[in-house]
């Protein structure tokens, strides 16, 4: 699955690189074959080069921002998941400690509660991982 994401990212990067290079070459060819004076041609080439640089800066800034957003989301999800696991661990430790103090039937009830809590935690973790995956795919 990770290899597919890397391949898609590489294909997207290659495509964008091709588009940019093709645009630059096409623009230069159009300028070179246009009937203009040398001064006008140089001025227009400089203008188009500045435009291309501005656009690449914009694309770079967008990519950096998206990367920061994904990192921030991943850190937030990690913190929430860690907190949920810690809370459930504390609950289970308390349940086990109280279980040692209780007799037969009470111990079985505590074990059933612990089992249910573990199942709920497992479902919550699965949901958070799915949300993280869905957010990362976008």
């Amino acid at each position: 699955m990770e290899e597919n994401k890397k391949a898609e990212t590489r294909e997207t990067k290659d495509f964008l690189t091709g588009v940019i290079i093709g645009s630059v070459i096409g623009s230069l060819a159009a300028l070179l074959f246009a009937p203009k004076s040398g001064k006008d041609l140089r001025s227009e080439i400089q203008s188009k080069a500045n435009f291309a640089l501005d656009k690449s800066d914009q694309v770079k800034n967008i990519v950096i921002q998206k990367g920061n957003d994904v990192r921030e989301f991943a850190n937030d999800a990690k913190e929430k998941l860690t907190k949920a696991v810690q809370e459930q661990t504390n609950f289970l430790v308390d349940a086990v400690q109280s279980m040692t103090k209780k007799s037969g039937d009470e111990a079985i009830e505590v074990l059933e509660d612990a089992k249910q809590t573990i199942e709920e935690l497992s479902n919550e973790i699965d949901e958070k991982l799915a949300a993280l995956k869905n957010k990362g795919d976008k």
Side-chain angles (χ1 to χ4, degrees):
M1 184 166 148
E2 189 173 313
E3 291 176 16
N4 288 342
K5 283 187 179 179
K6 287 181 181 178
E8 288 176 9
T9 302
R10 190 173 355 161
E11 288 173 3
T12 302
K13 180 182 173 186
D14 291 345
F15 175 75
L16 290 174
T17 301
V19 167
I20 291 170
I21 290 172
S23 297
V24 169
I25 291 173
S27 296
L28 288 175
L31 290 173
L32 292 175
F33 291 110
K36 293 185 179 184
S37 71
K39 185 176 182 180
D40 290 341
L41 181 60
R42 284 189 299 274
S43 174
E44 192 163 340
I45 289 173
Q46 181 66 39
S47 171
K48 296 291 182 179
N50 288 338
F51 178 77
L53 288 174
D54 288 343
K55 284 295 180 183
S56 18
D57 282 342
Q58 289 174 1
V59 169
K60 178 190 78 166
N61 291 336
I62 289 170
V63 168
I64 289 171
Q65 180 61 42
K66 293 295 180 184
N68 290 338
D69 290 347
V70 168
R71 183 176 357 112
E72 197 174 299
F73 175 78
N75 286 337
D76 185 46
K78 181 183 94 174
E79 289 174 14
K80 288 179 181 178
L81 186 59
T82 301
K83 183 179 178 181
V85 168
Q86 183 63 40
E87 289 172 358
Q88 294 304 320
T89 301
N90 291 339
F91 172 78
L92 291 175
V93 167
D94 291 343
V96 169
Q97 287 174 346
S98 68
M99 181 178 66
T100 59
K101 296 176 184 175
K102 295 181 179 183
S103 64
D105 291 333
E106 292 174 344
I108 290 173
E109 289 177 15
V110 170
L111 286 174
E112 290 297 325
D113 288 343
K115 180 180 174 184
Q116 182 179 359
T117 301
I118 289 171
E119 289 176 5
E120 291 171 1
L121 176 61
S122 176
N123 291 337
E124 184 177 332
I125 289 171
D126 289 342
E127 291 172 4
K128 289 183 179 185
L129 287 175
L132 179 61
K133 181 180 181 242
N134 289 339
K135 181 77 171 189
D137 289 343
K138 292 180 181 177

